Amino acid sequence: MVLNWITSTPRRTLALIAAACVALLAFGMYLQHVQGLEPCPMCIVQRYALVLVALCTGLASLGRRSAWWKTWSLLATVAAGLGAFVAARQSWLQWNPPEFASCGRDLYGMIENYPISRAIPMIFRGSGDCTAVDWTFLGGTIANWSFLWFVGFALVLLALLCKGAQRR
């Protein structure tokens, strides 16, 4: 009954995805600022992907026209796919750490010390920091859980898009 209420309208589902993204971002801020865990460059990219999913699904939930929510949902699906890819790569690095891991700079250090044209590629490059496992829940690392959330969002969004295409 609750699941039927959640999925009965695309706008409600999209708003719930946006709210879940905001909650996950808030939890990330808690881990960083209260627990003292420093995010690696791959974590930062995943946060940006989560922000994109939240913005796209939030905007999609505001529109009444089918084309509006489908367009924003498609963009959110792409952002969720990007986030899932980065989280999968980080999980792989954590399971198979490179032999010679070098500790990379944090985001602010990169931007302060390098021009933006050099800093942006550095953000997307994995470093020794990305292999660290500082927190786990039920045996999964932050990257593992991030991957599951991104895949879940992508699957729900694809289901909405397919369901919306059938209604034509």
Side-chain angles (χ1 to χ4, degrees), residues 19-89:
C21 289
V22 170
L24 289 169
L25 287 165
F27 184 67
M29 293 293 119
Y30 166 79
L31 288 176
Q32 181 179 354
H33 296 291
V34 177
Q35 297 296 320
L37 300 180
E38 284 299 317
C40 69
M42 292 180 114
C43 296
I44 293 168
V45 172
Q46 290 171 61
R47 283 186 185 178
Y48 286 141
L50 206 54
V51 167
L52 282 174
V53 173
L55 286 173
C56 290
T57 55
L59 287 169
S61 70
L62 296 176
R64 293 195 181 273
R65 305 189 94 211
S66 175
W68 174 267
W69 71 262
K70 286 179 184 176
T71 301
W72 286 107
S73 295
L74 184 61
L75 291 171
T77 305
V78 170
L82 169 71
F85 175 79
V86 175
R89 174 75 175 139

Side-chain angles (χ1 to χ4, degrees), residues 20-166:
C21 289
V22 170
L24 289 169
L25 287 165
F27 184 67
M29 293 293 119
Y30 166 79
L31 288 176
Q32 181 179 354
H33 296 291
V34 177
Q35 297 296 320
L37 300 180
E38 284 299 317
C40 69
M42 292 180 114
C43 296
I44 293 168
V45 172
Q46 290 171 61
R47 283 186 185 178
Y48 286 141
L50 206 54
V51 167
L52 282 174
V53 173
L55 286 173
C56 290
T57 55
L59 287 169
S61 70
L62 296 176
R64 293 195 181 273
R65 305 189 94 211
S66 175
W68 174 267
W69 71 262
K70 286 179 184 176
T71 301
W72 286 107
S73 295
L74 184 61
L75 291 171
T77 305
V78 170
L82 169 71
F85 175 79
V86 175
R89 174 75 175 139
Q90 184 177 5
S91 294
W92 187 84
L93 285 172
Q94 288 174 342
W95 293 326
N96 304 298
E99 196 171 313
F100 297 102
S102 63
C103 194
R105 294 178 178 262
D106 67 344
L107 176 65
Y108 301 109
M110 285 187 277
I111 291 174
E112 288 175 359
N113 295 313
Y114 296 101
I116 196 75
S117 61
R118 279 191 63 202
I120 295 296
M122 292 170 126
I123 293 169
F124 289 98
R125 200 173 319 135
S127 69
D129 293 336
C130 295
T131 63
V133 177
D134 298 325
W135 180 91
T136 60
F137 178 70
L138 298 176
T141 66
I142 295 171
N144 301 150
W145 285 105
S146 180
F147 174 77
L148 291 175
W149 278 102
F150 279 122
V151 168
F153 293 149
L155 290 174
V156 170
L157 289 164
L158 286 172
L160 277 178
L161 288 167
C162 290
K163 192 175 178 181
Q166 292 174 352

